[in-house]
Amino acid sequence: MARDLHDIKKDVFKNWVDDQVVFNRVRIDSMFEQLSKKNITKLKKRMKKQIIELQAMAGFFNVSILNDFLARYSLPSEKELQRTFAHIYSLLERDIGQLVEYLRDNGVASEPLNKIENKQGINTVSKKHEEWVDFLFDQEDDEGKDEFLFTVANNFFEYCFNKETFLAFKKMLKTPKDYPIVRFFYSVMWSNLAEIGWQHWHGACLAGLREQADAGKEIVYVAGGTDIYQLIKHGIYNIRVIDPLLPTQPKYYSQGWDWFIKGEGPESGIGERALVPCGQKNLFMERIDYKAFDKTFTVQLSNKKKETFEQSETTWHIFDKREKFLGEVVFERRLTNQDDFDVSKNQVVLLSFNELYFVAAPRDCDGWGIDPKRFNENIKIFVKQLEKPVNKQVMCNMRHEIRQEDFAFIELGSCIN
């Protein structure tokens, strides 16, 4: 039977359609080809205006260039700046460890700078680094710039927490003169993967999830809200979302998010439909079941009030325009727990970057009470903003970093309830 299009909600994914971007890995050193004379001119003008602040950016330059400028206000030549930028792009692309050495050699790893940044506070320091990398990748196309920064942030994350380089990073966390470099890394990761990047996807993550879905696995999206549009658009149709869906989080959900959970009328919206706009392949969702359980959960919201909510489960079916059944989306309205990460062979876990932090963090550091040490050795967790899935070792490395007390700066996850 053909569907009456007048009865289908057409705007429930509007926020995601309008604002969400899928970024892919780009070669960072290809940015040199876009480094126009305009950018070099802008940099030289900025140098004139920021004599004092230049000290904090010194590590991006050759020491002799910095000394010439500070002693004689002699601006470096365009060729010198281009060579420096080309070297930085190359290090960001090929070897973050060598980038660390470069920054150390040029004065970024220093006790005096660490003391200055300690006094400046998180916002001032992170803003300085965000503006600097924003400038490094400045171009007319903002989305293109953001794709470069997404790639840089991914490279920093891998250096900090992957098995191969974690020991080197762990030593930096014990070395105060290295803290300015660590703050630089954290500022870039947090800004591009959490603060701004919370809503965006990495194309490699979606491609990996599609492979898992094609192999018959259900995607278990922990704390996924209503962020299912890109999954469905990319051919992933069997999804289970576990999320408390808190009323103080509407910015992070799609328009009419509460309607996804429970519709109106005596049957709680069973039979209601929504459009999934996918161009020529528009799909439809139909609510086929709603169950309220005799269980509740209590949460302290961002407004400091405690509220209690009813646990429920809502099931939607996905159809194409010819009424062919494609898959099932289930929303479990509840808090996540340790068992959600003990997935079956027919499931795979998905998280967003913000939530990755709260899964890794112990409860006394605002975590959710999940212990990565109890994960299966073979667990593979896809992260919305990351190119590569993370494993148990990466999660445990993150927990170690969160627990250590020597270095304190911005948390990689933002509490958004």
Side-chain angles (χ1 to χ4, degrees):
M1 183 178 74
R3 297 181 184 276
D4 183 353
L5 297 182
H6 295 291
D7 289 338
I8 295 175
K9 285 187 176 287
K10 297 182 174 65
D11 61 354
V12 292
F13 290 109
K14 185 177 187 304
N15 292 8
W16 303 125
V17 173
D18 290 348
D19 301 327
Q20 202 164 57
V21 179
V22 177
F23 291 117
N24 292 291
R25 165 167 285 279
V26 290
R27 284 195 61 90
I28 299 170
D29 50 5
S30 71
M31 179 63 202
F32 182 70
E33 299 167 9
Q34 303 180 41
L35 189 62
S36 64
K37 187 172 183 178
K38 173 185 169 186
N39 280 22
I40 297 297
T41 302
K42 186 189 296 186
L43 175 59
K44 294 174 84 168
K45 287 180 179 178
R46 182 170 174 174
M47 282 176 146
K48 288 181 180 179
K49 293 179 181 178
Q50 296 183 264
I51 295 173
I52 296 175
E53 292 87 347
L54 185 62
Q55 283 282 6
M57 299 178 182
F60 289 98
F61 296 97
N62 178 283
V63 174
S64 63
I65 291 178
L66 175 66
N67 290 341
D68 283 347
F69 176 66
L70 293 178
R72 297 185 291 276
Y73 301 102
S74 172
L75 292 175
S77 69
E78 291 175 7
K79 285 187 177 181
E80 284 179 300
L81 286 181
Q82 286 174 336
R83 278 198 298 269
T84 299
F85 274 46
H87 186 51
I88 293 168
Y89 296 144
S90 177
L91 293 176
L92 286 168
E93 170 65 29
R94 294 182 175 86
D95 197 331
I96 302 302
Q98 284 301 308
L99 175 70
V100 170
E101 292 303 319
Y102 173 84
L103 296 175
R104 283 172 177 156
D105 290 343
N106 286 285
V108 172
S110 74
E111 289 283 8
L113 182 54
N114 180 43
K115 290 178 180 178
I116 290 171
E117 291 187 344
N118 271 330
K119 292 178 181 178
Q120 288 176 325
I122 290 174
N123 291 338
T124 300
V125 175
S126 61
K127 189 172 186 297
K128 171 186 69 178
H129 291 309
E130 288 163 23
E131 288 180 348
W132 181 238
V133 292
D134 182 83
F135 177 76
L136 269 176
F137 294 94
D138 185 46
Q139 53 189 284
E140 295 297 326
D141 178 12
D142 283 341
E143 200 168 294
K145 175 185 66 182
D146 290 342
E147 194 160 45
F148 274 104
L149 295 178
F150 219 64
T151 302
V152 172
N154 265 264
N155 286 359
F156 285 174
F157 178 85
E158 290 176 12
Y159 178 80
C160 291
F161 300 112
N162 278 8
K163 179 181 178 181
E164 295 76 15
T165 46
F166 179 67
L167 286 180
F169 176 66
K170 188 176 175 182
K171 289 180 182 177
M172 294 176 70
L173 295 173
K174 294 285 187 182
T175 309
K177 71 177 183 179
D178 279 340
Y179 289 175
I181 300 175
V182 182
R183 292 190 190 101
F184 169 50
F185 286 3
Y186 271 49
S187 296
V188 173
M189 285 190 285
W190 180 78
S191 176
N192 293 285
L193 303 177
E195 181 195 27
I196 298 170
W198 68 268
Q199 63 184 329
H200 303 313
W201 285 83
H202 201 296
C205 175
L206 286 166
L209 290 170
R210 174 64 188 267
E211 282 186 16
Q212 298 290 320
D214 287 348
K217 294 188 179 182
E218 178 187 55
I219 308 304
V220 180
Y221 195 174
V222 175
T226 61
D227 182 26
I228 59 174
Y229 170 65
Q230 291 295 343
L231 294 170
I232 296 173
K233 185 180 178 182
H234 284 78
I236 300 162
Y237 303 130
N238 289 300
I239 308 161
R240 181 172 300 272
V241 178
I242 300 169
D243 195 296
L245 288 156
L246 305 176
T248 49
Q249 292 184 329
K251 173 183 176 183
Y252 303 96
Y253 302 141
S254 54
Q255 188 172 335
W257 62 270
D258 48 346
W259 176 81
F260 270 101
I261 302 307
K262 184 179 181 181
E264 298 178 355
E267 293 188 319
S268 303
I270 291 176
E272 291 181 324
R273 290 163 288 171
L275 174 70
V276 187
C278 302
Q280 297 297 316
K281 294 184 178 180
N282 282 342
L283 306 177
F284 304 93
M285 294 175 61
E286 180 173 340
R287 191 193 327 261
I288 63 144
D289 192 25
Y290 171 81
K291 295 188 184 77
F293 300 109
D294 189 22
K295 294 180 181 178
T296 60
F297 59 93
T298 301
V299 180
Q300 180 171 308
L301 305 175
S302 58
N303 58 15
K304 306 304 179 185
K305 294 181 180 179
K306 281 190 175 182
E307 287 197 35
T308 298
F309 302 93
E310 184 179 61
Q311 288 193 26
S312 63
E313 183 176 284
T314 309
T315 303
W316 293 80
H317 281 180
I318 305 174
F319 300 90
D320 67 13
K321 59 186 177 181
R322 295 179 180 176
E323 305 293 322
K324 179 184 177 182
F325 171 75
L326 300 176
E328 182 175 273
V329 179
V330 177
F331 289 95
E332 294 188 33
R333 191 180 193 185
R334 62 174 175 84
L335 297 174
T336 189
N337 57 56
Q338 187 79 38
D339 291 342
D340 294 329
F341 295 86
D342 187 19
V343 294
S344 73
K345 292 182 179 179
N346 295 321
Q347 293 176 315
V348 64
V349 175
L350 168 64
L351 290 169
S352 189
F353 188 79
N354 268 318
E355 285 66 42
L356 179 70
Y357 172 87
F358 295 108
V359 171
R363 195 179 290 279
D364 58 1
C365 295
D366 297 325
W368 292 344
I370 311 298
D371 185 359
K373 289 182 180 178
R374 293 172 56 190
F375 290 173
N376 185 286
E377 293 296 331
N378 298 319
I379 193 171
K380 180 161 64 173
I381 299 174
F382 286 82
V383 181
K384 176 180 170 182
Q385 293 84 1
L386 298 183
E387 178 183 9
K388 300 171 185 175
V390 301
N391 56 25
K392 177 180 178 178
Q393 182 68 58
V394 169
M395 298 295 292
C396 289
N397 290 346
M398 289 186 70
R399 172 161 286 207
H400 175 87
E401 182 280 327
I402 295 167
R403 275 201 177 280
Q404 62 82 36
E405 298 177 354
D406 297 295
F407 172 79
F409 189 53
I410 197 167
E411 294 178 346
L412 291 182
S414 301
C415 189
I416 56 175
N417 69 356

